[in-house]
Amino acid sequence: MKTPAQLCAMAPVIPVIIVNEVAQAAPLARALVAGGLPVLEVTLRTPVALEAIAEMRAACPEAVVGAGTLRNAADVKACMDAGCAFGVSPGAPAALMDAVAEAGMPFLPGCATATEAMALADRGFEVVKFFPAGAAGGPNLLKSLASPLPDVKFCPTGGVSLENAPDYLKLPNVCVVGGSWVIPNDALANGDWDRIEQLARAAITALRPLQKV
């Protein structure tokens, strides 16, 4: 398995995906990977999420498929059983972090404050999710944390767009962003895979030069 730092270096954007129908999974993964975004986060927000992850892995072996919105030890076990390459959480309760450590799962735990980031760094996490990025202070907050916490790297997610992603990626402590803008709801619902591939390519073109690897 790749480490979180290695995963974050693969592309400047990790698509945050909500799959409502299993049939969407394979063509969506192919479109995103073809557009240059191989690391995919499928959130556990729908009943078909784990099945969709399996479909993506089978249909697109070059994709690195993980799960988002993990909240407890049961989620960790289910995701490990499903072959997820990594996990992501909106927060970092102690029981969840203990389960992640026991499973040996590559993980991006969520934080929104300096105290939370420091606690996660003490647990050995070098890369953490900053969520909800926009509501929690955006680039200005992360810029303020760069000097006192130089060893912590962030993946801001929540309110990130193609327009404001450069404001995050230009910061020394941001290694990647997470976003759903490359998968518009109408494109997903209509199966407009060409549009999704084009949005992925546009993200790579605009943001790859800003990414620090």
Side-chain angles (χ1 to χ4, degrees):
M1 286 188 174
K2 293 183 181 294
T3 67
Q6 291 171 330
L7 291 168
C8 291
M10 293 181 69
V13 182
I14 297 176
V16 179
I17 303 166
I18 299 175
V19 178
N20 296 300
E21 300 175 16
V22 174
Q24 299 170 332
L28 175 58
R30 293 192 191 101
L32 290 168
V33 171
L37 301 180
V39 182
L40 312 178
E41 176 193 336
V42 180
T43 63
L44 301 184
R45 301 181 194 178
T46 66
V48 301
L50 290 174
E51 188 177 353
I53 288 170
E55 287 288 318
M56 287 181 171
R57 293 179 64 238
C60 197
E62 60 270 45
V64 182
V65 189
T69 322
L70 277 72
R71 297 179 57 185
N72 51 50
D75 288 340
V76 174
K77 183 180 187 306
C79 290
M80 291 295 287
D81 290 345
C84 291
F86 64 95
V88 184
S89 64
L96 175 61
M97 295 299 93
D98 290 343
V100 166
E102 183 176 351
M105 185 183 211
F107 207 78
L108 294 177
C111 74
T113 67
T115 296
E116 292 169 353
M118 291 166 64
L120 290 170
D122 286 344
R123 291 196 69 139
F125 291 98
E126 297 178 339
V127 184
V128 299
K129 174 179 176 177
F130 177 53
F131 178 83
N140 287 336
L141 178 59
L142 291 180
K143 182 178 180 180
S144 299
L145 295 180
S147 181
L149 303 177
D151 55 325
V152 183
K153 303 301 180 185
F154 293 91
C155 168
T157 304
V160 179
S161 65
L162 183 61
E163 290 70 31
N164 65 22
D167 295 332
Y168 288 103
L169 286 168
K170 69 183 181 183
L171 299 174
N173 55 346
V174 172
C175 55
V176 69
V177 298
S180 59
W181 81 85
V182 294
I183 315 160
N185 290 335
D186 59 336
L188 182 61
N190 296 328
D192 193 347
W193 314 122
D194 287 342
R195 181 183 171 200
I196 290 172
E197 180 180 340
Q198 291 167 5
L199 288 169
R201 289 187 186 280
I204 286 290
T205 299
L207 304 178
R208 182 56 122 176
L210 301 174
Q211 189 181 28
K212 297 164 289 293
V213 296

